[in-house]
Amino acid sequence: MKKWISPALLIITFILSAIGHYADWDHTLQFVLSAIAVVFVAGFLGRATESVAHYAGQRLGGFLNATFGNAAELIIAFFLVKEGLFDMVKASLTGSIIGNLLLVLGLSIFAGGMKFKVQNFNVTLAGLNGSLMIVAVIALFVPAMFFNTHSITERDTDVLSLVVAGLLIAAYMAWLIFSMITHKKYLADVTVDSEEELPNEHKPAWSMRQSIIYLVLATVMVAFVSEWLVGTLETLTERFGFSELFVGAFLVAIIGNAAEHSAAIMLAMKNKIGAAVEIAVGSSLQIALFVAPVLIFASYFMGNTMDIVFTTIEIVAIAVSVFIAKSIIQDGATNWYEGLLLLAVYLILGVSFYLV
């Protein structure tokens, strides 16, 4: 009976969200239904991804978890770009980055630390992840500095944005080659040996073929629900007086990160903090180095280029998140108090964004 509850809720919320959209129900109700549906669909997507990752192997599996964990954010952001809501896109990207680094990572470290006194993971991987995030901060800071000091024109800003986007994608592709091919063993998690002792501990319920079919189905469902959700955001901001910054950075980001929240926390509670850190930090890296640049190129091909100039508030929020996350994970060991510190910073930013 229990195994049918989740699929039933997934189908019911998806259908209700569809009816609300096409029957043109009240936009607030549409938002609530779409938000609930996104959470369930993201969870379904997460399960399908984990199942495929089981057959793909640890390193490729981690990449798939990060990639499809970000599918909801990417699709939501794509529809926002299509609508020309660039400020909300940048806010949602900011929210995804700080949400992964502070909320997802913080909850994972806190939950794992409540069960295990100290949890360890690969120090080298943590250091490299931190360095990559600093590169992302630099890539956001430099264009904003030149544009806001009127050193370059708007047209030059678009060119700079496309160049920076191309370089970030190249850096991310090089990172994939480095981490998954040339230095795969060097970056292996410290818990690999214990995982290999229990090869059937988490055997997936679906076959590889079923997993792939469900993965494709979940991605399509995310695309539909994301479009319905985006259609309600403008009305929501006007009706409740929320800023685009708050809606994009917190509401949209939290909803889109639902799959990663559950997956990372569960792994941390099983003493697999390395995998949890890889999901949280890896997702932030993918947003900053791949998703944001891809959206810039997508907007260019749509005929209205979105620049990479983020607001001062957004850059400060990302820089603060990177600074505290890097300082906590750089020693390769975590405890519950460090998780609590990350959550405290997230709440500080949340209240600040709400009051903007």
Side-chain angles (χ1 to χ4, degrees):
M1 182 68 183
K2 287 183 179 179
K3 71 176 182 178
W4 294 107
I5 294 176
S6 183
L9 289 173
L10 168 68
I11 294 168
I12 291 168
T13 54
F14 183 80
I15 291 173
L16 283 174
S17 181
I19 293 171
H21 174 75
Y22 292 111
D24 197 24
W25 288 355
D26 179 78
H27 276 213
T28 303
L29 180 59
Q30 282 189 51
F31 172 81
V32 172
L33 290 173
S34 297
I36 295 170
V38 166
V39 172
F40 280 105
V41 173
F44 176 44
L45 182 65
R47 280 192 64 199
T49 304
E50 285 177 22
S51 188
V52 172
H54 174 86
Y55 296 104
Q58 184 188 6
R59 178 58 60 182
L60 181 57
F63 170 69
L64 288 172
N65 266 313
T67 301
F68 283 94
N70 284 329
E73 290 103 306
L74 176 59
I75 295 169
I76 290 172
F78 177 80
F79 285 114
L80 288 171
V81 167
K82 192 177 176 183
E83 294 291 324
L85 301 171
F86 294 159
D87 288 341
M88 196 174 286
V89 173
K90 293 174 186 175
S92 68
L93 293 173
T94 301
S96 292
I97 293 171
I98 66 177
N100 280 307
L101 287 179
L102 300 179
L103 181 61
V104 179
L105 185 60
L107 283 173
S108 299
I109 292 175
F110 181 78
M114 293 298 288
K115 194 172 181 181
F116 304 96
K117 194 170 184 179
V118 176
Q119 294 182 296
N120 298 293
F121 54 97
N122 191 302
V123 181
T124 306
L125 181 60
L128 285 168
N129 279 333
S131 298
L132 280 169
M133 287 308 303
I134 290 174
V135 169
V137 172
I138 292 170
L140 297 178
F141 174 76
V142 172
M145 181 188 68
F146 277 89
F147 179 75
N148 290 327
T149 55
H150 307 289
S151 299
I152 56 177
T153 63
E154 284 191 29
R155 180 167 180 163
D156 289 337
T157 303
D158 290 343
V159 173
L160 179 59
S161 298
L162 291 167
V163 171
V164 171
L167 290 171
L168 288 177
I169 290 174
Y172 184 69
M173 294 303 173
W175 166 246
L176 293 181
I177 294 170
F178 178 85
S179 63
M180 296 173 65
I181 300 175
T182 63
H183 288 68
K184 183 178 178 180
K185 292 183 179 178
Y186 180 60
L187 300 177
D189 189 47
V190 294
T191 61
V192 167
D193 291 337
S194 62
E195 288 175 3
E196 289 177 350
E197 290 171 8
L198 299 169
N200 298 315
E201 184 184 1
H202 302 293
K203 190 176 181 180
W206 304 324
S207 66
M208 186 172 184
R209 184 179 177 183
Q210 282 179 306
S211 302
I212 294 171
I213 292 172
Y214 288 152
L215 185 62
V216 173
L217 176 63
T219 305
V220 172
M221 290 175 75
V222 166
F224 275 106
V225 179
S226 299
E227 184 177 12
W228 302 334
L229 181 73
V230 167
T232 67
L233 291 179
E234 279 193 282
T235 304
L236 188 77
T237 55
E238 292 172 7
R239 184 172 296 180
F240 293 97
F242 294 144
S243 66
E244 287 190 355
L245 187 62
F246 177 74
V247 171
F250 284 83
L251 294 184
V252 173
I254 289 174
I255 292 166
N257 279 335
E260 287 150 21
H261 289 184
S262 56
I265 292 168
M266 291 303 294
L267 285 167
M269 292 180 71
K270 293 171 184 174
N271 204 24
K272 296 184 179 181
I273 191 65
V277 169
E278 191 165 338
I279 289 176
V281 179
S283 293
S284 291
L285 284 174
Q286 197 170 69
I287 290 290
L289 302 182
F290 184 74
V291 173
V294 164
L295 290 172
I296 289 170
F297 280 111
S299 66
Y300 170 76
F301 289 116
M302 288 178 188
N304 185 18
T305 305
M306 178 180 77
D307 60 49
I308 201 170
V309 177
F310 282 60
T311 65
T312 303
I313 294 173
E314 290 165 341
I315 293 173
V316 168
I318 293 172
V320 166
S321 304
V322 169
F323 174 75
I324 184 67
K326 180 175 169 57
S327 67
I328 281 176
I329 67 172
Q330 66 184 358
D331 61 350
T334 60
N335 54 68
W336 69 265
Y337 185 67
E338 290 178 327
L340 194 65
L341 292 177
L342 290 173
L343 294 174
V345 175
Y346 185 74
L347 290 175
I348 291 170
L349 291 175
V351 174
S352 302
F353 274 53
Y354 178 76
L355 296 173
V356 169

